[in-house]
């Protein structure tokens, strides 16, 4: 069956393919030998990506289903993650592998990899964005998307809509105080408070 998606591991040892036959496969790059068992899906596979340490393979399908698989065992490491519509980019991972972003024709979604759940709500990107045009910043502070029209959008990860972190920051901004790890409250300096409000307002305007 026709191959719809291909990904290369960061060490160059493995190639992953996803096909219309609803199977993802791993191959040795140097001789083309198949590795392990095929990973069965219930829909055609449209996107693939390895995690930064090459231990996980992210797959995306028609219908917006994303799943994480163990590269070593070819077994699922997460429940089905539902993006919402057809996934064209799966598993754009942050530097540490803590976060993963998935892409459809209309929206982006960030996932917490270890917890296997969405990190906030889907974000509308307002224009056609290709799978190669989204990336986390190196410090994992933001997700950057570039549309085919040349529009660049930056979403701060700490303020992804609907995330607990966004709620925490908005509470701090409303009260003008923040809590340390022991729960002690302290006032936020004026300029820092203004910067926080501007960051949250900018995020709201991109939705």
């Amino acid at each position: 069956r026709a191959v719809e998606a291909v990904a290369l591991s960061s060490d160059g040892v493995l190639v992953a393919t996803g096909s219309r036959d609803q199977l993802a496969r791993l191959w040795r790059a140097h001789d083309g030998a198949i590795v392990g068992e095929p990973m069965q899906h219930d829909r055609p596979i449209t996107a693939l990506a390895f995690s930064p340490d090459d231990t996980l393979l992210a797959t995306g399908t028609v219908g917006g289903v994303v799943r994480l698989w163990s590269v070593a065992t070819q077994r699922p490491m997460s429940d089905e993650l539902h993006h919402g519509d057809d996934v064209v980019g799966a598993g754009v991972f942050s530097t540490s592998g803590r976060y993963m972003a998935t892409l459809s024709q209309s929206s982006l979604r960030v996932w917490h990899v270890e917890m296997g759940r969405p990190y906030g709500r889907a974000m509308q990107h307002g224009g056609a964005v290709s799978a190669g045009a989204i990336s986390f910043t190196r410090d994992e502070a933001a997700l950057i998307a570039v549309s085919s029209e040349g529009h660049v959008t930056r979403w701060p990860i700490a303020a992804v809509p609907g995330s607990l972190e966004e709620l925490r920051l908005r509470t701090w901004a409303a009260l003008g105080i923040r809590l340390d790890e022991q729960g002690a409250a302290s006032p936020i300096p004026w300029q820092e408070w203004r910067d926080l409000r501007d960051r949250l307002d900018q995020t709201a305007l991109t939705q």
Side-chain angles (χ1 to χ4, degrees):
R1 299 292 183 90
V3 171
E4 295 291 322
V6 177
L8 179 67
S9 63
S10 62
D11 59 11
V13 172
L14 295 175
V15 175
T17 58
S19 307
R20 289 184 177 273
D21 63 3
Q22 305 177 7
L23 294 175
R25 297 176 174 88
L26 294 173
W27 313 79
R28 284 203 306 256
H30 76 278
D31 62 5
I34 195 164
V35 175
E37 299 296 323
M39 290 161 275
Q40 179 68 57
H41 298 65
D42 59 6
R43 299 178 186 186
I45 299 163
T46 55
L48 295 168
F50 285 93
S51 62
D53 61 3
D54 295 328
T55 62
L56 296 174
L57 179 70
T59 62
T61 71
V62 170
V65 176
V66 178
R67 200 155 200 180
L68 296 170
W69 302 79
S70 166
V71 171
T73 66
Q74 299 86 54
R75 293 185 177 180
M77 299 296 289
S78 73
D79 294 331
E80 292 184 346
L81 311 175
H82 293 272
H83 182 104
D85 49 2
D86 290 0
V87 175
V88 297
V92 178
F93 288 89
S94 64
T95 305
S96 70
R98 180 182 183 187
Y99 300 112
M100 176 181 72
T102 56
L103 170 72
S104 73
Q105 293 292 347
S106 62
S107 65
L108 285 162
R109 188 180 280 279
V110 176
W111 307 86
H112 194 292
V113 172
E114 185 177 352
M115 298 176 69
R117 64 180 60 178
Y119 188 79
R121 301 189 299 271
M123 300 172 285
Q124 303 302 310
H125 54 62
V129 175
S130 68
I134 60 173
S135 179
F136 289 93
T137 55
R138 184 174 295 276
D139 61 3
E140 302 186 349
L143 179 67
I144 307 295
V146 182
S147 74
S148 58
E149 293 84 9
H151 301 301
V152 179
T153 307
R154 182 182 187 275
W155 285 279
I157 297 302
V160 169
S163 68
L164 291 176
E165 185 69 6
E166 184 207 21
L167 177 61
R168 180 176 70 89
L169 292 177
R170 290 196 180 280
T171 301
W172 286 7
L175 298 177
I177 61 172
R178 61 183 166 206
L179 302 178
D180 63 21
E181 293 181 357
Q182 285 72 43
S186 61
I188 301 175
W190 169 251
Q191 188 57 54
E192 189 176 332
W193 179 83
R194 286 292 303 271
D195 291 345
L196 175 60
R197 289 294 301 267
D198 289 346
R199 227 172 94 201
L200 292 168
D201 289 345
Q202 180 182 20
T203 303
L205 290 173
T206 64
Q207 307 312 309

